[in-house]
Amino acid sequence: MLEQILTMGFFTAFFSAMVRMAVPLIYAGLGEMFAEKAGILNIGMEGVMLSGAFCSFAGAMFSGSLMIGLLCGILGGIAVGMIHAVLSIKLAQNQSVSGIAINMFVLGVTSFFSRILKEGKSYQQLTTFSTIKIPGLRSIPLIGDALFNQDIFTYFLYVLIIVMTVFYAKTAKGLAFQAVGEHPRAADAAGIPVHKYQYIAMLVNGILGGIGGAYLVLVQLGVFTENMISGRGYIALAAVILGRYTPVGTFGAALIFGGANALQIRLQAVGVPLPAQALAMLPYIITLIALLGSIGRSNEPESLSKPYIRGSR
């Protein structure tokens, strides 16, 4: 069995699966990071992704177009994200309670409508986005297939991470968003419209979270199932913390979690004599270990999850 694991084929397949498993986590993690940089904690990322997954499936099924499905997924993510935005910003409610309530609400709504959608119909499998091979680069040993034989969502991520890194490090707008999350009162005094920036951050949160959910349907599975996010929204939150609130760090942390998921699948495939339940626990165990290892090293914004009420002390 060890001979099956220590092979080029095993590691090539493992790295490819790691990237595929990490992509929805990276999208959700970057969306959550954008919101948290502006001071909004969205524990409801699970609900954002689930809404994106359901809406993308419904949109693609009724229209027959994957691009319309993607647009519907984005709109579904935005809708849930903006519910949290109104509760957190306009109504200044507890952001943790709001996020948990949204997760429960979206789970119930999507389960209800998915049953209506499928009632009396045979199992429907959507076609999915195809991979795009980049000649030359995909031939690199071990990582070529993982990085350069992927779908358009994955390639867009590479660009997105670079853009977000430059945005926060080099632009005045990026610094303004960070100021809103660190010291909203000072930012307001400097003429930065705090609530406007927070709404924009939640819009981006909904867009990226919706894409993360849509990816599961339109690229990986081709079908929607109840509660198909299965904790990925919470793992995305952990990726932001472990990645120390940076785009590159969040990307790396999501790869760790994606790798844990891919590893348990590959080990099952080669017949490792461990209970399937024990292997399925692996990604969550690594998540807990990673979070324990980040204790005392958090770079979270100073005013994270604290509603800003203008004029209050």
Side-chain angles (χ1 to χ4, degrees):
M1 185 170 297
L2 189 60
E3 297 80 19
Q4 289 180 282
I5 295 175
L6 298 177
T7 62
M8 181 73 77
F10 177 89
F11 284 106
T12 300
F14 165 70
F15 286 130
S16 295
M18 177 179 72
V19 172
R20 286 196 303 273
M21 295 292 180
V23 167
L25 301 178
I26 298 169
Y27 272 110
L30 291 176
E32 179 61 23
M33 188 203 72
F34 206 97
E36 292 195 18
K37 285 278 197 182
I40 304 295
L41 174 65
N42 187 11
I43 293 178
M45 208 63 201
E46 187 93 355
V48 173
M49 294 181 72
L50 190 58
S51 177
F54 174 76
C55 291
S56 66
F57 176 74
M61 187 179 76
F62 285 118
S63 69
S65 167
L66 291 178
M67 291 306 298
I68 291 178
L70 174 61
L71 177 60
C72 290
I74 292 172
L75 293 176
I78 290 173
V80 175
M82 295 316 289
I83 292 173
H84 182 66
V86 171
L87 290 170
S88 302
I89 302 168
K90 184 176 180 60
L91 302 180
Q93 298 301 304
N94 184 292
Q95 295 175 15
S96 297
V97 173
S98 169
I100 293 170
I102 284 172
N103 287 339
M104 297 171 65
F105 171 73
V106 175
L107 175 59
V109 168
T110 55
S111 297
F112 174 74
F113 281 108
S114 69
R115 292 181 185 182
I116 292 177
L117 200 63
K118 297 174 182 178
E119 189 174 359
K121 296 181 181 178
S122 60
Y123 178 83
Q124 183 158 359
Q125 180 81 29
L126 300 175
T127 56
T128 56
F129 280 96
S130 57
T131 58
I132 302 172
K133 301 176 183 179
I134 299 182
L137 292 177
R138 70 161 297 223
S139 300
I140 300 172
L142 287 179
I143 64 169
D145 223 38
L147 297 178
F148 304 111
N149 185 23
Q150 294 289 349
D151 51 88
I152 190 65
F153 291 82
T154 306
Y155 296 131
F156 178 69
L157 261 184
Y158 303 156
V159 177
L160 182 62
I161 290 166
I162 294 170
V163 169
M164 288 185 72
T165 300
V166 173
F167 175 75
Y168 281 119
K170 301 292 185 181
T171 68
K173 289 292 185 184
L175 294 175
F177 272 101
Q178 294 181 79
V180 166
E182 292 288 350
H183 301 290
R185 201 170 308 283
D188 196 3
I192 298 172
V194 172
H195 287 170
K196 176 183 176 181
Y197 274 53
Q198 288 181 329
Y199 275 117
I200 293 172
M202 284 307 302
L203 177 66
V204 174
N205 178 275
I207 291 171
L208 295 181
I211 293 175
Y215 179 89
L216 293 170
V217 172
L218 302 180
V219 178
Q220 286 190 358
L221 303 175
V223 69
F224 177 83
T225 58
E226 294 180 28
N227 196 26
M228 68 183 299
I229 303 303
S230 300
R232 288 180 178 87
Y234 297 114
I235 294 177
L237 289 169
V240 175
I241 297 170
L242 184 61
R244 307 191 73 176
Y245 299 86
T246 65
V248 174
T250 301
F251 170 76
L255 282 179
I256 293 173
F257 300 138
N261 217 336
L263 182 60
Q264 60 101 357
I265 293 172
R266 297 305 305 167
L267 290 178
Q268 286 181 4
V270 299
V272 171
L274 284 173
Q277 294 84 353
L279 290 174
M281 287 168 58
L282 186 60
Y284 304 101
I285 292 172
I286 291 180
T287 300
L288 291 173
I289 293 172
L291 287 176
L292 289 172
S294 68
I295 290 175
R297 297 187 288 111
S298 176
N299 285 3
E300 74 173 37
E302 187 69 26
S303 296
L304 180 64
S305 79
K306 300 173 184 175
Y308 175 65
I309 303 173
R310 193 173 191 183
S312 68
R313 290 184 178 274

